[in-house]
Amino acid sequence: MNNSGLYFDLAITYKGAPFRDNDVHDVLKRSGINPSEGSRGREWFNIELKTAIAAIEAVKEGKKSLGTTYVTESINKIMFRPEQEEAIKSTLELIKNGKEKMLWNAKMRFGKTVSALELIRRAEFKKTLIITHRPVVSDGWFEDFYKIFIDSNYGFGSKVRGETIEVLHSMKNPFIYFASMQDLRGSSLIGGEFHKNDLIFETPWDCVIIDEAHEGNKTDLAKNVHKHIKRAFTLALSGTPFNIFEDYEEEEDIYTWDYVMEQKAKYEWEANNFGDSNPYASLPKLSIFTFQLDKEFSGQKYIDVEDKAFNFREFFRTYGNDDPHLSRRGKFIHEKDVLKFLDLISHKGQYENNKTNFPFSTDYYRDNLKNTLWLVPGVPEARALSELMKNHEIFGNFEIVNVAGSGDNNAENIDALEKVKKAIGDDPENAYTITITCGKLTTGVSVPAWTGVLMLSNTSSPSTYLQTAFRVQTPANIGGKSKN
């Protein structure tokens, strides 16, 4: 190393094997450090010299990430709220009494990830496996791991972040490994088509955490996966566990914390804890508004026959790819009405005293809804709406991010979140984005910049409705203003 900050070293591991710059890049990426954007973005990282040296050293030692040393330098220790402490302590008591499973029925934005990681730390579990049907939530687990295990010898790994499971086993230290249910289902050991994940099924786990437990765990394939994973204790996490309550017979096996409890604690804090800072102050109030559309779009074609509700699937129906008219394939059948709807929610219109409550109808509303999530019935509808909005007088000023896709694999979900993060950037105060989805990013994902959700899809599932609605309750400070 010289005064210009250059560093020279032999590209040879301590076992004598050569390595390349790509190996160093992989260590940085698996540690959450992404390449700088630009024409040579794949090759350049905006990091300090000591971080680069640490990455080189990690490759030499056969590691796949930097660990906690360089990731946690600016992270403050988490202070847990009373209900989080209660969840952790009651679970530790159950484990002490020999119980084998517990459910945290805790509202979205409870902090289940950090609380579960704190449980692992206090219980001193040596080997913990996290399983989810939503691989995109791996970002949250990865980031929160370093908030809990500061200056510890715990390791973290997954297919794309942290260490590989082989490296974690070889290091002989306690570790946490993140795996997706989709990937585990394909393993040959349980009848899948691919020879993989043998070490996961061979490991005796101290604890298995099932994240978003209401999703994808009741199928025969999922049950087969769980049957073949050896574990001493199982913790299920869900904000909407309506379909798994029956799996927990004893009242003490379920810890519950809902939105009403949270908001009650928020508004009663000062009276009960005068002089102490309110730990709930950053948790926004969730307001739900219903807009009546049948008056604006009269007639029976948009009224659902069974429940008499507005039928969004018919309203947003598109021409199929087999339509004889090539020019209208993929476009809305009721395009004029969809355009009328976009105009309705974004203009003041002919109202008494020019008053309107439609979400994008005034500058004030648009300033408070700069980054929102829109749920639509399906992929064709999302694509058609995206194209229509790009040429709209008001919505053409927003960056439309269409994350609706036909699959549900790891890459597609992770790519969807990255698309949204890139569109919003580091300055949400000056970003104007609308994310259109038909299911992706509606569970387990935190996008702090989102301040509103538009439900433009009929759903009979309370889980889908609540999970999607609570995407906006992630605490954030945007332009000096806290979401409240």
Side-chain angles (χ1 to χ4, degrees):
M1 181 173 62
N2 61 24
N3 292 333
S4 64
L6 296 176
Y7 179 79
F8 302 93
D9 205 343
L10 290 176
I12 304 291
T13 69
Y14 291 123
K15 291 185 177 181
F19 64 89
R20 299 174 60 87
D21 58 346
N22 288 337
D23 297 306
V24 180
H25 297 166
D26 287 343
V27 165
L28 293 171
K29 291 174 185 175
R30 292 181 70 91
S31 302
I33 302 172
N34 295 316
S36 301
E37 293 186 9
S39 59
R40 303 176 69 184
R42 293 183 179 180
E43 296 290 327
W44 293 92
F45 293 78
N46 185 18
I47 56 176
E48 294 182 354
L49 180 59
K50 65 176 182 178
T51 305
I53 295 172
I56 295 170
E57 192 66 21
V59 175
K60 285 189 167 191
E61 294 175 358
K63 297 178 180 179
K64 298 296 183 182
S65 73
L66 294 174
T68 61
T69 304
Y70 289 89
V71 182
T72 60
E73 287 184 344
S74 62
I75 293 176
N76 295 320
K77 191 74 173 177
I78 288 183
M79 300 297 292
F80 290 94
R81 298 189 303 274
E83 72 278 6
Q84 293 173 318
E85 281 287 347
E86 186 181 356
I88 295 166
K89 290 178 179 177
S90 61
T91 308
L92 288 171
E93 189 65 25
L94 251 68
I95 295 169
K96 180 181 176 182
N97 293 335
K99 285 295 188 81
E100 296 182 353
K101 64 180 181 180
M102 187 172 187
L103 165 65
W104 285 2
N105 168 29
K107 63 168 286 293
M108 292 67 70
R109 310 274 72 80
F110 169 84
K112 292 186 282 293
T113 302
V114 290
S115 300
L117 290 168
E118 178 66 9
L119 172 71
I120 294 169
R121 191 186 69 81
R122 295 189 195 179
E124 297 182 345
F125 290 136
K126 303 301 181 185
K127 296 180 178 67
T128 302
L129 177 66
I130 300 165
I131 303 175
T132 183
H133 193 71
R134 294 269 177 170
V136 71
V137 305
S138 63
D139 271 8
W141 283 98
F142 178 75
E143 292 166 6
D144 287 345
F145 171 81
Y146 292 107
K147 297 175 185 176
I148 301 299
F149 294 97
I150 299 175
D151 298 326
S152 80
N153 63 344
Y154 269 78
F156 180 94
S158 69
K159 289 282 186 180
V160 296
R161 289 289 187 91
E163 302 292 351
T164 63
I165 191 167
E166 290 79 11
V167 169
L168 290 171
H169 268 283
S170 68
M171 293 170 64
K172 307 299 183 184
N173 291 329
F175 64 83
I176 299 167
Y177 190 77
F178 180 96
S180 75
M181 178 59 74
Q182 292 92 322
D183 188 52
L184 294 174
R185 286 189 319 217
S187 307
S188 58
L189 277 176
I190 61 163
E193 298 180 1
F194 305 99
H195 184 74
K196 59 181 180 179
N197 299 319
D198 289 8
L199 199 49
I200 292 177
F201 291 103
E202 292 169 5
T203 301
W205 299 96
D206 298 310
C207 177
V208 171
I209 295 176
I210 308 173
D211 194 17
E212 305 299 343
H214 59 280
E215 286 196 323
N217 285 289
K218 304 290 279 186
T219 65
D220 290 339
L221 282 173
K223 289 178 181 177
N224 195 29
V225 168
H226 286 296
K227 178 182 175 182
H228 284 82
I229 293 177
K230 306 184 230 14
R231 87 286 297 273
F233 181 75
T234 302
L235 175 62
L237 310 176
S238 177
T240 50
F242 310 123
N243 62 335
I244 58 174
F245 277 133
E246 61 188 25
D247 298 335
Y248 300 85
E249 298 177 358
E250 303 291 333
E251 185 178 341
E252 65 178 8
D253 296 342
I254 302 176
Y255 177 78
T256 297
W257 182 259
D258 60 29
Y259 173 76
V260 175
M261 292 174 173
E262 174 197 273
Q263 293 298 305
K264 185 173 184 287
K266 177 180 179 178
Y267 290 108
E268 292 180 354
W269 180 264
E270 286 192 18
N272 299 327
N273 304 272
F274 182 76
D276 291 342
S277 60
N278 190 339
Y280 304 95
S282 65
L283 298 172
K285 177 180 69 175
L286 187 67
S287 300
I288 299 177
F289 300 94
T290 302
F291 300 100
Q292 192 169 354
L293 296 178
D294 54 356
K295 290 183 178 179
E296 300 292 339
F297 302 96
S298 58
Q300 293 299 310
K301 61 183 178 181
Y302 301 135
I303 303 301
D304 189 271
V305 176
E306 293 185 10
D307 58 16
K308 305 302 180 183
F310 190 84
N311 190 339
F312 280 109
R313 184 163 291 281
E314 173 61 29
F315 185 74
F316 288 120
R317 189 156 60 94
T318 61
Y319 290 102
N321 291 329
D322 57 349
D323 192 89
H325 301 282
L326 294 175
S327 62
R328 66 184 190 186
R329 289 181 181 178
K331 295 184 181 298
F332 288 120
I333 292 175
H334 311 295
E335 186 171 292
K336 288 184 179 179
D337 282 345
V338 176
L339 280 170
K340 179 182 176 182
F341 167 74
L342 293 177
D343 288 341
L344 178 69
I345 65 173
S346 62
H347 289 77
K348 290 184 178 180
Q350 302 300 316
Y351 299 93
E352 183 181 357
N353 298 323
N354 233 14
K355 290 183 178 179
T356 173
N357 287 320
F358 282 111
F360 295 89
S361 56
T362 68
D363 290 337
Y364 175 79
Y365 291 154
R366 288 194 283 270
D367 281 343
N368 283 277
L369 295 170
K370 291 177 179 177
N371 299 284
T372 56
L373 175 68
W374 293 24
L375 180 68
V376 299
V379 176
E381 294 89 337
R383 187 179 300 117
L385 184 60
S386 175
E387 290 302 314
L388 209 60
M389 292 175 73
K390 289 174 182 176
N391 298 313
H392 188 265
E393 177 188 359
I394 299 298
F395 296 113
N397 298 312
F398 289 75
E399 182 170 352
I400 310 300
V401 187
N402 179 13
V403 300
S406 58
D408 191 27
N409 61 44
N410 297 16
E412 287 177 340
N413 278 279
I414 294 170
D415 287 348
L417 182 58
E418 288 305 314
K419 282 176 66 176
V420 174
K421 287 182 176 179
K422 185 175 180 180
I424 295 173
D426 298 327
D427 186 15
E429 170 67 8
N430 293 306
Y432 289 80
T433 69
I434 293 173
T435 300
I436 302 177
T437 183
C438 59
K440 286 180 181 174
L441 308 186
T442 57
T443 295
V445 173
S446 295
V447 179
W450 281 343
T451 55
V453 169
L454 261 68
M455 299 285 191
L456 304 178
S457 178
N458 300 93
T459 174
S460 58
S461 166
S463 175
T464 299
Y465 186 90
L466 290 172
Q467 287 285 347
T468 305
F470 272 90
R471 292 312 100 204
V472 301
Q473 220 213 356
T474 303
N477 187 298
I478 303 172
K481 299 177 182 178
S482 295
K483 290 163 64 175
N484 56 24

